[in-house]
Amino acid sequence: MTKPIILGTRGSPLALAQARQAASRLEVAHGWPAGAVEIRIVNTTGDRIQDRPLADIGGKALWTKELDLALLAGETDISVHSMKDVESDRPEQLCLAAMLRRADVRDRLIGAESIGALKPGAVVGTSSPRRAAQLLALRPDLKIEPIRGNVETRLKKLAAGECDAILLAAAGLDRLHHHDIGVALDEILPAPAQGAIGIECRKDDHMIRRIVTLINHPATLATVLAERAFTRALGGTCHSPMAALATMEQDGSIHLRAELLSGNGADRIADETRFGGGDLEAPAAMARAMLARAPSSIRTLFEAAP
């Protein structure tokens, strides 16, 4: 290799931890020396604006727009993404070349031993419509307080008493070495692609695609693509409370579970299906069928999506 691979990433501590993990995997897989993959921080709109919920200022594209522009301009060779934060429709010139093995997909509750143990009327900090709706479905008495910022910022807000509890992704906490913080919630389905790190490159850059493919985890790629196909069929945005989790069975088939909720959690529709790996029409069909029979309180959230 005559020059370093330029890896574009956001500059948050979690994004950098994920970028270093991807860079290290590439260097080890190819027998390259440390530093052969150069990490370049790209400042995104989502990082600059921290005082409003993501859904109110443009959605998930705010995490990817500047990274996409750098990649398309040839300023970087690959982008590393937390796939939960990547919109389901991507630029035609880019491709998802690899996915690292998926980490813990669950959310963790920090501030109480369980959702049931939260005091009546407890204030829970989250800016995720999915998490808010799921919490309210289980505990309508809870008060949801929007909260933004990186993991450390949110933990500090909790410690300062701005809320009684917060929900954070287990994968992010683990990547920042907060293994002993919070209680994992098995009763809540995660966001589509939660816990997955994806590597994107230019579709016509065949050399980089070959380089990156070596560290791809096929089962993670297949299941995350199924979840993203489900999301894309719904036209869901950050305003749309939805959850989806696909797992690969021993025979290579995929089991997909999903739910759609109203904003206040009062209405919920859930379904599941099994299909062959690589079949992206099956999750899309399930999404359309769920939306067709959903109550108007849910359907209007997706029909109003831009």
Side-chain angles (χ1 to χ4, degrees), residues 5-293:
I5 302 295
I6 307 299
L7 181 159
T9 178
R10 293 169 50 207
S12 73
L14 178 55
L16 285 171
Q18 295 172 163
R20 292 185 189 111
Q21 182 179 346
S24 176
R25 289 286 304 279
L26 281 169
E27 289 164 355
V28 169
H30 290 278
W32 297 336
V37 178
E38 177 185 321
I39 295 175
R40 182 170 298 175
I41 294 174
V42 177
N43 192 21
T44 70
T45 305
D47 291 309
R48 292 194 296 270
I49 302 175
Q50 293 288 327
D51 59 346
R52 282 167 283 169
L54 188 65
D56 293 346
I57 57 174
K60 293 180 178 180
L62 297 180
W63 297 134
T64 58
K65 180 175 65 175
E66 286 85 358
L67 285 166
D68 294 346
L69 290 173
L71 188 54
L72 291 169
E75 297 169 7
T76 58
D77 297 306
I78 58 176
S79 296
V80 172
H81 298 293
S82 174
M83 292 305 300
K84 177 175 68 71
D85 297 328
V86 178
E87 66 275 21
S88 56
D89 286 316
R90 302 294 293 132
E92 178 63 27
Q93 306 97 310
L94 302 181
C95 72
L96 191 59
M99 202 85 67
L100 302 189
R101 181 187 290 271
R102 199 172 195 172
D104 193 336
V105 301
R106 296 173 294 179
D107 287 324
R108 281 196 209 147
L109 177 67
I110 305 170
E113 290 303 311
S114 67
I115 294 173
L118 288 164
K119 68 182 182 182
V123 176
V124 181
T126 180
S127 290
S128 161
R130 170 190 64 87
R131 288 171 175 153
Q134 289 172 320
L135 285 169
L136 291 172
L138 296 169
R139 288 282 306 273
D141 62 297
L142 297 177
K143 296 176 181 174
I144 306 300
E145 183 68 27
I147 187 171
R148 286 280 316 277
N150 61 37
V151 169
E152 298 299 335
T153 297
R154 298 186 194 203
L155 291 173
K156 287 177 182 177
K157 289 181 178 181
L158 174 63
E162 294 186 24
C163 48
D164 297 305
I166 57 175
L167 282 182
L168 293 174
L173 288 166
D174 288 342
R175 287 168 186 150
L176 293 172
H177 308 293
H178 291 309
H179 305 286
D180 57 347
I181 294 180
V183 178
L185 300 176
D186 292 307
E187 67 267 41
I188 288 182
L189 271 181
Q194 185 158 309
I197 297 173
I199 303 176
E200 206 167 34
C201 67
R202 292 181 296 278
K203 190 177 291 184
D204 62 359
D205 194 336
H206 301 292
M207 181 187 74
I208 290 293
R209 290 179 68 172
R210 286 194 299 271
I211 287 171
V212 171
T213 299
L214 192 59
I215 64 169
N216 179 53
H217 187 252
T220 299
L221 180 62
T223 52
V224 169
L225 288 179
E227 293 166 22
R228 288 172 59 79
F230 174 85
T231 303
R232 187 164 50 250
L234 290 169
T237 69
C238 288
H239 294 279
S240 311
M242 76 174 93
L245 178 62
T247 53
M248 182 166 282
E249 305 298 311
Q250 289 188 346
D251 63 0
S253 65
I254 292 177
H255 179 209
L256 174 65
R257 294 181 292 143
E259 66 178 3
L260 312 178
L261 301 100
S262 60
N264 62 5
D267 293 318
R268 172 183 174 272
I269 182 168
D271 204 349
E272 60 184 291
T273 188
R274 292 179 187 268
F275 49 92
D279 177 6
L280 298 184
E281 176 53 32
M286 187 177 93
R288 292 190 291 266
M290 289 176 70
L291 196 58
R293 66 175 188 272

